[in-house]
Amino acid sequence: SAVISQKPSRDICQRGTSLTIQCQVDSQVTMMFWYRQQPGQSLTLIATANQGSEATYESGFVIDKFPISRPNLTFSTLTVSNMSPEDSSIYLCSAVGGGNEQFFGPGTRLTVL
Amino acid sequence: QKEVEQDPGPLSVPEGAIVSLNCTYSNSAFQYFMWYRQYSRKGPELLMYTYSSGNKEDGRFTAQVDKSSKYISLFIRDSQPSDSATYLCAITTNTGNQFYFGTGTSLTVIP
């Protein structure tokens, strides 16, 4: 299994600012993803974080709003840029193990005022 | 048609009951099946992971996959109040580069 940590665990931010969320995996993994989850809702995939290349974004998500870095096989960041109250959500990082099982981090609870 | 459909619930059962959670999927290419448990304000926790058809048991939890019917189930025996959470099913193919999640079933176990 993979153990995933995220920082910060929560934050309250002002409209128009940006927040960078860090995700650290305790082992090397090939696939890492970023999700958003609204209260009471299922998971919405934002993008696949590709090591050494640009992230692959899902429909409705763009790089200018959600830039992602993945400098190595254990670490990734997601930035939520120019935030608005609609960006208030839980942001989750995940990684795929060798058997195609997916593990999640504890999440970052973001509130935008 | 969604790739995976999950009974939305919510489900409320008395302590000690047997709980059955279910999902159906549309594409026979899916080979890996997962169940997650998510407590309020926490990230999803991988509960059960199975490959192809058959049953897998872990303590009070049994995951069942019927590929002929494209149906997956999670059974919880002797349910406890600590089992109260949202349960998500997830599926993926051999490449593991795309996952599909159910919408989640909220379970409450009443003491």
Side-chain angles (χ1 to χ4, degrees):
Chain A
S1 67
V3 177
I4 302 173
S5 60
Q6 282 184 239
K7 287 194 296 187
S9 58
R10 61 172 57 199
D11 209 340
I12 300 173
C13 301
Q14 295 297 320
R15 179 196 298 262
T17 62
S18 298
L19 176 72
T20 296
I21 303 168
Q22 298 180 6
C23 176
Q24 179 73 55
V25 188
D26 70 341
S27 58
Q28 294 186 341
V29 293
T30 51
M31 307 289 292
M32 291 183 73
F33 300 100
W34 286 97
Y35 291 84
R36 186 166 72 181
Q37 187 177 34
Q38 304 285 9
Q41 303 293 316
S42 190
L43 305 166
T44 301
L45 180 64
I46 297 172
T48 304
N50 300 311
Q51 194 267 327
S53 65
E54 193 172 284
T56 304
Y57 290 84
E58 297 298 304
S59 175
F61 297 95
V62 295
I63 188 171
D64 290 345
K65 176 68 175 177
F66 298 101
I68 288 171
S69 79
R70 187 160 174 211
N72 56 49
L73 293 176
T74 64
F75 186 78
S76 179
T77 66
L78 168 75
T79 299
V80 186
S81 303
N82 188 24
M83 289 184 286
S84 67
E86 292 71 36
D87 295 320
S88 297
S89 190
I90 297 172
Y91 291 86
L92 292 155
C93 166
S94 74
V96 178
N100 285 351
E101 69 275 43
Q102 187 170 176
F103 300 95
F104 285 87
T108 296
R109 179 176 296 273
L110 172 62
T111 302
V112 184
L113 302 177
Chain B
Q1 183 184 10
K2 288 184 179 180
E3 298 287 354
V4 59
E5 302 270 6
Q6 182 171 2
D7 293 342
L11 206 54
S12 183
V13 301
E15 183 174 353
I18 296 174
V19 176
S20 172
L21 304 167
N22 307 292
C23 290
T24 58
Y25 62 96
S26 58
N27 191 332
S28 58
F30 294 119
Q31 296 283 351
Y32 296 85
F33 307 91
M34 287 143 281
W35 284 96
Y36 292 86
R37 176 175 63 194
Q38 186 174 24
Y39 292 114
S40 181
R41 300 172 180 264
K42 302 288 187 183
E45 170 195 7
L46 182 61
L47 200 57
M48 298 290 284
Y49 163 70
T50 54
Y51 170 72
S52 198
S53 280
N55 293 354
K56 183 176 182 179
E57 188 173 319
D58 184 359
R60 297 184 294 109
F61 298 90
T62 299
Q64 189 174 80
V65 176
D66 182 347
K67 291 196 71 180
S68 62
S69 302
K70 299 187 182 69
Y71 196 84
I72 60 175
S73 300
L74 177 70
F75 298 98
I76 306 175
R77 292 184 300 280
D78 187 25
S79 56
Q80 302 295 309
S82 59
D83 296 328
S84 298
T86 296
Y87 291 80
L88 294 152
C89 63
I91 54 178
T92 189
T93 61
N94 282 334
T95 58
N97 62 358
Q98 195 161 20
F99 288 75
Y100 298 94
F101 287 85
T103 50
T105 301
S106 176
L107 171 67
T108 301
V109 181
I110 303 167

